[in-house]
Structure formats: C-alpha cells, structure tokens
Amino acid sequence: MSRPSSWPIGRARPRPGGPLTGYKIAFPMISADSRRAGFNGVALGRSQVYGPVADAVCIQSPRHRCPSSWCDCGFYCFHALADARDLACDPQYQHSVLLEIAASGRYIRYELGLRYARQTVRSVRLGRCGCGRAATALADGGPGLTGWRRLHPVCGLCAGPRPVLTPEAFRARCGGVPVHHDEAVDDSAATAFAPLPGAGDDVDDAALVPLLAAEVALLQARLDQVQSRLEQLTRRSD
Ligand SMILES: [Zn+2]
Ligand SMILES: [Zn+2]
C-alpha cells in the first residue's frame, strides 16, 4: 500500500510499548503446491508475498532499516477499518481482502495510519463476491506471481462447480490466522440491497425456453423419420 498523498512525512520512532492495531487490504495468495497461504501487497509490495508474520524489506536499498524517513519502504496500514474498506472499493483493488494487523518494531505515525517494520496478521475479513453477495470462500483467479496463485473471494453461487478454498483451509495454511466475513456486508441497518422478488424464477424460465425449443425440434425430426419409414414399409407391403 503506497503512502496516500495526504499523509505528511513523519519520523521513524523507536519501538513503542506494544504492538499497534491497524487495518489494510491485500490480495490472498496460495503457493503453487497449495500448501501455504499468504498475502500480496496492493501497491509497493506487489512483487512480494508475505506470511502471517513478516519483517519489511526495502527493495530500493538494503543499507537502511525499514521504515526509513528518506524512503517509502515498510508496511503500511490505516488506523481505521473504515478507511481500508473505502480503499477496497477502488477498481484496481477488487478481489482484495481486509486484514487486521498488529504493527511492531520501528514505526512512523501519520494522520491516517502507520508505516512500520514488523507485521502480524491477526485476522482476515472476506468482503463481497463480484456479484455483491457476501463472499464465503476463495477461488483461483487473476494473475499470480512466480510460485504463487492469486485467490478471489467468491460466494457459493458464483463459485459454481469450481473448487474453492474454505476459510478454514486458508487459515490452516496461513499460520492459524482466523478468516471470517466482513460484518459490513450484512449490516442490515446499512444495506439497501435485496434480491428482486421472483428474479430467480424469471432467469430460470428464460433459460428453459431455448432448451425446450431445441428438444421439440429434435422430437419433430425423429417423428418425420418414423413417418417416412412407415410409408416406405406400407408401400412395400401393398
Ligand atoms: Zn527503504
Ligand atoms: Zn457471487
């Protein structure tokens, strides 16, 4: 996550008394052999996959410690979950998940969030599937990185017959980090979305018409065949 332009430049501070809680977005990933799960950063960290506990690495220079005041390196997070949720609406971050993290080590505090050295992922929130329903699993999707496949949060209907990774299976491959749905998705006081009454029936009927028409055409052709065969036999027996 790059530093939003509204964030003023801060100064690296010494280790705080304890970890600080923050929120961010990331793309969920699974290793090529499906044994490990992790996360891909959405901006500066796009070329790297990190696990549930990770130390920031500067890709510009190995000679300074992260985060340096003179560099953009380090992990980034927001102070507020709502800010991370807002960023997830940006089209380029579609299919990302929300992470709650604990930041430790050296850090720089900004108005909206932190830039810091060490990160522990505390939980993963699955937001919405591309169709708008709450995502309940993770399916293969999008371009990956060498050794890693990208996963998309999906609902059961859109996953269809595709194999999916359940939240429990992701958790088992990601150091036991709990994975649950985002409470904002089914906040009944806030949501105004509901399925149209009978919408599902209309879709089914519309899909059935061409199928039935094709079946009738086949039966008609078969009847014509039987009719002409009968006529041939009748003529022969005359
Ligand atoms: Zn750096
Ligand atoms: Zn869906």
Side-chain angles (χ1 to χ4, degrees), residues 2-96:
S2 62
R3 177 169 58 84
S5 54
S6 58
W7 291 18
I9 297 292
R11 253 191 204 178
R13 297 178 185 210
R15 180 185 295 271
L20 297 164
T21 298
Y23 304 91
K24 65 193 293 177
I25 59 172
F27 295 117
M29 308 291 283
I30 188 158
S31 61
D33 64 5
S34 301
R35 290 177 187 276
R36 287 174 301 142
F39 307 96
N40 178 215
V42 298
L44 286 178
R46 266 183 192 277
S47 59
Q48 291 165 331
V49 173
Y50 55 84
V53 180
D55 290 301
V57 180
C58 181
I59 52 170
Q60 328 264 10
S61 165
R63 281 176 292 185
H64 60 242
R65 289 194 296 162
C66 294
S68 164
S69 303
W70 307 104
C71 190
D72 271 346
C73 59
F75 288 116
Y76 287 79
C77 73
F78 289 105
H79 298 309
L81 172 60
D83 285 331
R85 198 179 273 133
D86 284 352
L87 190 62
C89 297
D90 188 302
Q92 59 181 320
Y93 306 136
Q94 197 188 7
H95 310 305
S96 63

Side-chain angles (χ1 to χ4, degrees), residues 213-231:
E215 201 131 326
V216 167
L218 269 176
L219 279 172
Q220 192 65 54
R222 186 78 185 122
L223 271 174
D224 288 348
Q225 263 183 352
V226 171
Q227 183 74 35
S228 71
R229 183 83 183 121
L230 260 177
E231 279 171 13

Side-chain angles (χ1 to χ4, degrees), residues 92-194:
Q92 59 181 320
Y93 306 136
Q94 197 188 7
H95 310 305
S96 63
V97 292
L98 288 166
L99 304 185
E100 182 176 325
I101 60 91
S104 54
R106 287 158 52 84
Y107 73 101
I108 299 173
R109 181 183 285 275
Y110 301 98
E111 189 185 341
L112 291 179
L114 298 170
R115 181 152 67 96
Y116 52 98
R118 182 157 238 249
Q119 173 173 278
T120 303
V121 179
R122 282 181 173 156
S123 72
V124 180
R125 284 173 169 84
L126 301 182
R128 292 180 194 279
C129 172
C131 73
R133 294 184 191 87
T136 52
L138 294 157
D140 258 309
L145 291 168
T146 303
W148 295 88
R149 286 141 54 202
R150 182 177 286 186
L151 299 169
H152 283 176
V154 290
C155 74
L157 275 175
C158 291
R162 278 190 296 168
V164 294
L165 202 63
T166 62
E168 294 73 33
F170 188 89
R171 174 182 186 151
R173 286 160 179 76
C174 196
V177 176
V179 181
H180 50 83
H181 74 286
D182 182 7
E183 55 272 31
V185 172
D186 53 15
D187 178 358
S188 55
T191 188
F193 284 85

